[in-house]
Amino acid sequence: MVLAISFLEAPLKFRAPGVTLPLGLGIGRVVFAALNRVEALFAVALIACLVVGTRTVAAVVLGAAVVLVLLVQLVAVRPALTRRSDRVLAGEAGPRSHAHFGYIGLEVLKVAALVAFGVVALLSP
């Protein structure tokens, strides 16, 4: 989901004919809000599996990394992006937000941690 939405849908929607910046931002807000809700549910399930199930130190560290990155995105970065999109949707012009770069960097870290977690989970006895 992260790969499909963050790295495909988000940049491609602005290339579609007739999609203006305000329209793209509105779509993005809806899509990312839904993605973040699903990610939060998966994070709770991941934590529950780590608490209840058999786990290795590597699985706990990587699972915690995934949840921590998600929390930073939701608590620190998303509010800044929301404030910026609020201003753009209100008609204000201004410089591009640097928070997008932070969000993208965190997405890359999250994907790497998820892949590593999956490998550890598959290889663990």
Side-chain angles (χ1 to χ4, degrees):
M1 287 179 4
V2 172
L3 290 173
I5 291 174
S6 293
F7 298 107
L8 288 175
E9 181 276 338
L12 290 178
K13 77 173 158 259
F14 290 102
R15 294 183 182 185
V19 175
T20 62
L21 180 60
L23 179 59
L25 288 175
I27 293 167
R29 287 171 74 151
V30 171
V31 170
F32 276 92
L35 172 65
N36 290 153
R37 282 192 296 274
V38 172
E39 285 180 311
L41 289 173
F42 282 152
V44 169
L46 174 63
I47 292 166
C49 288
L50 289 172
V51 168
V52 174
T54 304
R55 61 206 165 271
T56 64
V57 172
V60 171
V61 168
L62 291 167
V66 170
V67 173
L68 180 63
V69 169
L70 178 61
L71 285 173
V72 170
Q73 286 180 305
L74 296 178
V75 173
V77 183
R78 278 298 303 270
L81 293 173
T82 299
R83 286 190 298 275
R84 167 72 174 132
S85 64
D86 285 344
R87 290 193 303 270
V88 171
L89 292 171
E92 290 182 33
R96 292 182 61 109
S97 170
H98 295 296
H100 280 97
F101 296 120
Y103 196 88
I104 292 166
L106 290 167
E107 287 289 76
V108 170
L109 286 174
K110 186 168 53 181
V111 167
L114 284 166
V115 169
F117 179 82
V119 169
V120 166
L122 286 173
L123 298 178
S124 296

